[in-house]
Amino acid sequence: MYSEVETTFLHKKKISFFLATSFVLSVVFTSIPLFIMKYVSIETSLMIMFFIEFSFGVSVYMVILRHFPHYKIIPERNPEFIKKTLILFILITLIQTAVFLYNIRTFQTQVVNLDFLTLISLVFIIPFYEEIFYRGCLFGFVCSIYNKNLILPGIISSLTFCLMHTQYFSFLYQAILFTISSMLIYIRIKTKSLFYPIILHSGMNAFVVLLNAQSFYR
């Protein structure tokens, strides 16, 4: 027998196929800069990718996801949800602070000025579409094909999330990313919503931006 939480994330074949297809397309879109960097700057190519990913994420949400309660991006003033999200945010900020101090001691910093569009992308656009595709589509699809528990789908979703962030090449950074992704999966399961994972992800990115200020690492 499945628990109520586990059955919440189960889908019929048609919806599962839609979730899988949406995620695969989002992965394909990440390769856009590789094809257009010869024509535009790398910054512009990334902005184009962010816009396409965000637009596709909104489309996927409006067409299918919003019709399922556990995918809705609607704030729910549940004290328990808020408490868990705040605790995870504190843990994540401690992790990111430790990473920041480690980077200062280990590497030379390079000043990078963040323009308004980059800031908006990091804090709002990227958290939105990454939660839609990783904690939404991918997690939902894996839950539907492996319906014994939510642990393996969470691990697979987090591992995929790590592998797609190729800029974090060391085992340490991948382990940190996996831990953070697992926290996002946890709050996704507990709240049965994408709202709190998006808020947590957005808050984390905003904290990293403030922490690094004008010394942003390439």
Side-chain angles (χ1 to χ4, degrees):
M1 297 294 292
Y2 305 132
S3 69
E4 180 184 352
V5 173
E6 290 170 348
T7 56
T8 297
F9 298 100
L10 296 180
H11 297 288
K12 295 181 179 179
K13 290 183 179 180
K14 184 177 180 180
I15 299 301
S16 296
F17 177 78
F18 177 87
L19 295 176
T21 302
S22 298
F23 176 74
V24 170
L25 286 175
S26 75
V27 172
V28 171
F29 291 150
T30 62
S31 65
I32 288 175
L34 297 176
F35 298 99
I36 64 175
M37 278 194 297
K38 62 176 69 175
Y39 306 108
V40 297
S41 66
I42 184 172
E43 290 80 10
T44 301
S45 67
L46 287 173
M47 285 300 161
I48 292 173
M49 183 198 74
F50 294 156
F51 175 77
I52 292 175
E53 290 273 24
F54 178 77
S55 300
F56 184 55
V58 170
S59 299
V60 169
Y61 177 77
M62 295 303 295
V63 172
I64 291 292
L65 299 187
R66 70 186 179 93
H67 299 293
F68 295 90
H70 54 286
Y71 286 103
K72 287 190 174 181
I73 307 176
I74 299 175
E76 183 178 349
R77 295 181 180 178
N78 184 311
E80 188 66 22
F81 294 169
I82 295 173
K83 178 183 176 181
K84 290 180 183 298
T85 302
L86 287 175
I87 291 174
L88 289 180
F89 178 72
I90 292 171
L91 290 175
I92 289 174
T93 57
L94 291 175
I95 292 172
Q96 294 293 356
T97 301
V99 171
F100 173 74
L101 295 175
Y102 172 78
N103 285 337
I104 287 179
R105 294 185 60 183
T106 310
F107 304 106
Q108 291 185 349
T109 62
Q110 183 175 6
V111 175
V112 178
N113 293 317
L114 297 178
D115 58 33
F116 179 74
L117 285 178
T118 303
L119 184 62
I120 293 298
S121 297
L122 289 171
V123 178
F124 297 107
I125 293 178
I126 294 175
F128 172 82
Y129 73 70
E130 285 193 340
E131 294 310 310
I132 288 289
F133 294 126
Y134 288 95
R135 259 65 65 177
C137 294
L138 178 60
F139 181 69
F141 169 70
V142 180
C143 284
S144 297
I145 61 175
Y146 182 84
N147 49 26
K148 294 182 179 180
N149 57 60
L150 299 178
I151 297 175
L152 185 60
I155 292 174
I156 292 175
S157 300
S158 293
L159 284 175
T160 306
F161 184 70
C162 292
L163 292 174
M164 289 302 299
H165 287 73
T166 55
Q167 68 271 35
Y168 302 113
F169 51 86
S170 73
F171 176 79
L172 175 62
Y173 289 133
Q174 287 288 315
I176 292 171
L177 195 61
F178 180 85
T179 301
I180 292 174
S181 178
S182 298
M183 291 180 180
L184 292 168
I185 287 286
Y186 172 81
I187 202 66
R188 165 86 173 97
I189 294 171
K190 288 299 181 180
T191 63
K192 300 179 185 177
S193 165
L194 285 174
F195 174 77
Y196 285 98
I198 290 174
I199 290 297
L200 186 58
H201 195 156
S202 181
M204 175 188 70
N205 284 11
F207 178 78
V208 171
V209 170
L210 291 174
L211 191 64
N212 287 274
Q214 292 186 0
S215 297
F216 218 79
Y217 300 107
R218 288 193 184 275

